[in-house]
């Protein structure tokens, strides 16, 4: 068996990182005090132990095979090459680590110098950054006032639905909803009352629709509803009921607001989402011109 000399021990103790030396079978031959401290072991306890003691319990059964594969063609591996490594301390706690491997032949013995670095602080910073970026992406797709999807999020989801319709012939419906007489609320009661009303309507829309549906606010008092897997007959049942519920809610609040809704059901995808929005907007606007507070349904392509 390889017998480390005192100068090698001194060299390892002078290393700035936790370091150990293992043989071709994965047995720990020598390690420095930083490694013992990092993993919570007393001095010289790890010498003669298998290096698998330092990795999580659930990974140990496969670790010996990994060592054999590595030792067939040992190569230097720098830190940063594998970013999903974890160590296990003497008490059983696991923590993220980064490891550098340096093959070494000494007295005809194939050895590997392993340098281990605790990545807990860096991992926490990375997780915080990832979570922050995730929140930023979410905020970039959420209407700040109502909590609904915004125009950007709607466009992305609608493009996806157009692709599904085109590729798999899956039907969907789109409803463009405009609040009639909303200006009266702002003029008579102020913009705060108008904002509260928009929030209330947004909550009502989200609670009345399915979890697979999308409610988006794309203008001041304009909402669009994206209804996947929804042919015209299903859309008519859903939106007639929704219209009644919205009017009942406004009546309870003694609010003059009503709703003009244009609905376009597609069994064939239009060329572009802008074309789709233009058609359903025109449907809604035609209701405005004829007295407001109604729903108009149309099919794409038109059924003659």
């Amino acid at each position: 068996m390889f017998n480390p000399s005192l100068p090698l021990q001194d060299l390892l103790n002078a290393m700035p990182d936790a370091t150990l030396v293992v043989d071709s079978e994965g047995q720990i031959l020598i390690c420095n005090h930083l490694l013992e401290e990092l993993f919570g072991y007393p001095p010289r306890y790890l010498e003669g132990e298998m290096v698998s003691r330092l990795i999580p319990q659930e990974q140990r059964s496969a670790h010996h095979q990994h060592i054999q594969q590595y030792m067939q063609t040992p190569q230097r591996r720098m830190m940063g090459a594998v970013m999903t490594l974890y160590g296990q301390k003497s008490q059983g706690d696991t923590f993220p680590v980064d490891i550098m491997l340096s093959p070494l032949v000494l007295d005809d013995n194939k050895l590997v110098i392993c340098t281990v670095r605790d990545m807990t602080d860096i991992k926490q910073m990375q997780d915080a950054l990832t979570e922050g970026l995730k929140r930023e992406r979410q905020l970039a797709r959420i209407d700040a006032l109502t909590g609904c999807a915004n125009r950007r999020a709607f466009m992305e989801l609608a493009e996806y639905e157009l692709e599904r319709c085109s590729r798999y012939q899956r039907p969907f419906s789109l409803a463009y909803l405009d609040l009639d007489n909303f200006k009266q609320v702002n003029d008579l009661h102020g913009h705060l009352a108008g904002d509260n009303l928009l929030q209330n309507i947004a909550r009502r829309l989200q609670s009345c629709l399915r979890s697979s549906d999308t409610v988006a606010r794309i203008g001041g008092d304009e909402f669009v509803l994206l209804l996947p897997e929804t042919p015209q007959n299903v859309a008519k049942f859903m939106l007639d009921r929704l219209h009644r519920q919205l009017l009942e809610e406004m009546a309870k609040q003694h609010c003059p607001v009503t709703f003009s809704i244009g609905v376009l059901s597609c069994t064939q995808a239009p060329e572009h989402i802008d074309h789709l929005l233009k058609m359903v907007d025109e449907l809604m606007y035609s209701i405005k011109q004829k007295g407001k507070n109604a729903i108009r349904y149309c099919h794409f392509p038109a059924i003659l």
Side-chain angles (χ1 to χ4, degrees), residues 152-289:
R152 176 180 176 181
F154 164 75
M155 296 295 279
E156 292 176 356
L157 293 168
E159 288 284 4
Y160 173 73
E161 208 56 44
L162 257 66
E163 176 67 19
R164 290 183 68 247
C165 181
S166 176
R167 180 173 297 185
Y168 305 112
Q169 292 74 54
R170 306 308 303 166
F172 71 95
S173 294
L174 184 70
Y176 200 115
L177 184 149
D178 182 87
L179 276 60
D180 307 320
N181 312 315
F182 180 70
K183 187 174 182 298
Q184 292 183 26
V185 176
N186 282 333
D187 290 346
L188 292 174
H189 304 288
H191 289 281
L192 181 58
D195 288 348
N196 290 335
L197 178 62
L198 289 172
Q199 292 169 339
N200 185 23
I201 290 171
R203 286 192 294 270
R204 175 64 63 173
L205 291 172
Q206 291 171 321
S207 66
C208 291
L209 296 178
R210 305 165 300 186
S211 59
S212 58
D213 301 327
T214 298
V215 179
R217 181 182 176 222
I218 61 170
D221 60 348
E222 297 175 341
F223 294 84
V224 289
L225 316 177
L226 181 62
L227 313 175
E229 298 291 334
T230 308
Q232 189 176 74
N233 62 324
V234 177
K236 189 174 189 307
F237 172 79
M238 293 174 59
L239 293 171
D240 284 352
R241 181 183 61 182
L242 176 64
H243 191 207
R244 290 193 301 270
Q245 292 174 332
L246 289 172
L247 291 176
E248 290 171 1
E249 182 67 22
M250 295 302 99
K252 290 179 183 178
Q253 299 183 31
H254 305 289
C255 179
V257 165
T258 56
F259 305 89
S260 297
I261 308 173
V263 183
L264 185 66
S265 298
C266 299
T267 53
Q268 178 179 316
E271 292 183 1
H272 196 273
I273 185 61
D274 290 336
H275 185 200
L276 186 69
L277 274 175
K278 183 174 184 294
M279 288 188 290
V280 75
D281 179 52
E282 289 174 351
L283 284 174
M284 183 275 296
Y285 190 69
S286 68
I287 299 171
K288 290 281 194 181
Q289 292 179 315

Side-chain angles (χ1 to χ4, degrees), residues 14-78:
M15 298 285 286
D17 290 298
T19 306
L20 68 157
V21 179
V22 300
D23 64 14
S24 59
E25 296 300 317
Q27 186 179 46
I28 301 173
L29 305 178
I30 187 172
C31 62
N32 65 6
H33 64 90
L34 289 177
L35 186 121
E36 294 165 342
E37 293 172 2
L38 177 60
F39 285 88
Y41 287 97
R44 305 183 68 88
Y45 180 89
L46 289 169
E47 292 181 10
E49 296 289 333
M50 300 303 292
V51 71
S52 57
R53 176 180 285 274
L54 303 180
I55 67 172
Q57 182 73 40
E58 62 273 13
Q59 299 174 14
R60 292 178 184 177
S61 59
H63 191 255
H64 184 67
Q65 183 178 355
H66 295 329
I67 293 175
Q68 290 179 326
Q69 292 174 347
Y70 175 80
M71 294 305 295
Q72 289 176 5
T73 54
Q75 296 180 345
R76 184 178 178 87
R77 189 183 77 191
M78 302 300 294

Side-chain angles (χ1 to χ4, degrees), residues 16 20 29 55 83 85 108 111-113 124 126 128 132 134 159 165 209 215 231 259 272 278 298 304:
L20 68 157
L29 305 178
I55 67 172
M83 299 302 292
L85 301 175
D108 295 325
L111 310 176
V112 182
I113 301 174
Q124 289 175 346
Q126 288 176 335
K134 182 179 177 181
E159 288 284 4
C165 181
L209 296 178
V215 179
F259 305 89
H272 196 273
K278 183 174 184 294
C298 190
L304 301 178

